[in-house]
Amino acid sequence: VYAGTLALAASAACSQVPPLANAHPSPSSLASGVVEALARRDRTTLEALALNETEFRDHVWPRLPAARPERNLPFSYVWGELRQKSMQTLTGVMSREEGKRYDLIDVRFSAVTDYQTYRVHREATFRVRDASGVERDLRACGSMIEEGGAWKVFSYVIED
């Protein structure tokens, strides 16, 4: 009985999905991380703040409508498209905003979609203040994912 219980426990532990890496405890903390990385011209950190392929596959994909068998969309296609568009948009955001220093005032979203185990907060807008005290809206990422109190950039794709 003990060996069977141990095997069952080991199997359950192996099937658990690890938590999101490089996650933040709040949207404002994550937005501050994005703003700081832009100021430092730190693309490596900006990429680490966003979902990676493993996280997208393990955390997001199983609940997405695109994953339903009748949709016939392979994971590799959906991830590839999202990743490509996200990295292209990040390149544009960096060329426009990198090196600029801002203080984050707040973060707003236009909508939230609940996927049972996680939520996607869409169209992130950061309210920032520059060194001269001027406030403005900054679109530095498209959406954020919230899962179990952990926040990451879902993608950098900005829909206008």
Side-chain angles (χ1 to χ4, degrees):
V1 173
Y2 175 75
T5 304
L6 187 60
L8 185 59
S11 173
C14 290
S15 67
Q16 288 181 345
V17 175
L20 297 172
N22 304 305
H24 282 251
S26 69
S28 58
S29 172
L30 177 55
S32 290
V34 169
V35 168
E36 290 166 13
L38 283 169
R40 291 190 318 267
R41 299 175 169 92
D42 186 350
R43 187 177 183 111
T44 301
T45 294
L46 289 163
E47 289 186 21
L49 292 174
L51 289 173
N52 62 40
E53 182 175 3
T54 300
E55 291 169 334
F56 185 80
R57 182 184 56 246
D58 294 346
H59 294 261
V60 174
W61 181 249
R63 302 244 184 249
L64 279 184
R68 293 184 188 138
E70 65 272 14
R71 296 291 305 273
N72 200 27
L73 288 170
F75 167 82
S76 59
Y77 172 79
V78 174
W79 168 250
E81 285 287 303
L82 177 65
R83 176 77 175 165
Q84 179 182 11
K85 290 176 183 174
S86 188
M87 292 301 101
Q88 285 174 341
T89 304
L90 178 57
T91 297
V93 168
M94 289 188 72
S95 68
R96 188 177 66 245
E97 301 295 338
E98 70 180 359
K100 296 179 182 175
R101 302 218 175 266
Y102 299 110
D103 289 321
L104 181 74
I105 298 168
D106 72 356
V107 182
R108 298 182 318 273
F109 303 97
S110 69
V112 178
T113 305
D114 192 327
Y115 290 94
Q116 295 178 322
T117 59
Y118 64 90
R119 282 180 273 196
V120 177
H121 299 258
R122 302 188 187 287
E123 297 180 24
T125 302
F126 303 169
R127 187 72 180 167
V128 296
R129 182 180 302 114
D130 68 18
S132 64
V134 175
E135 291 185 16
R136 68 178 274 248
D137 286 339
L138 173 65
R139 298 290 311 278
C141 69
S143 54
M144 294 182 181
I145 182 171
E146 171 195 7
E147 181 183 62
W151 290 77
K152 282 194 83 164
V153 171
F154 185 89
S155 90
Y156 286 100
V157 177
I158 298 169
E159 310 273 337
D160 289 323

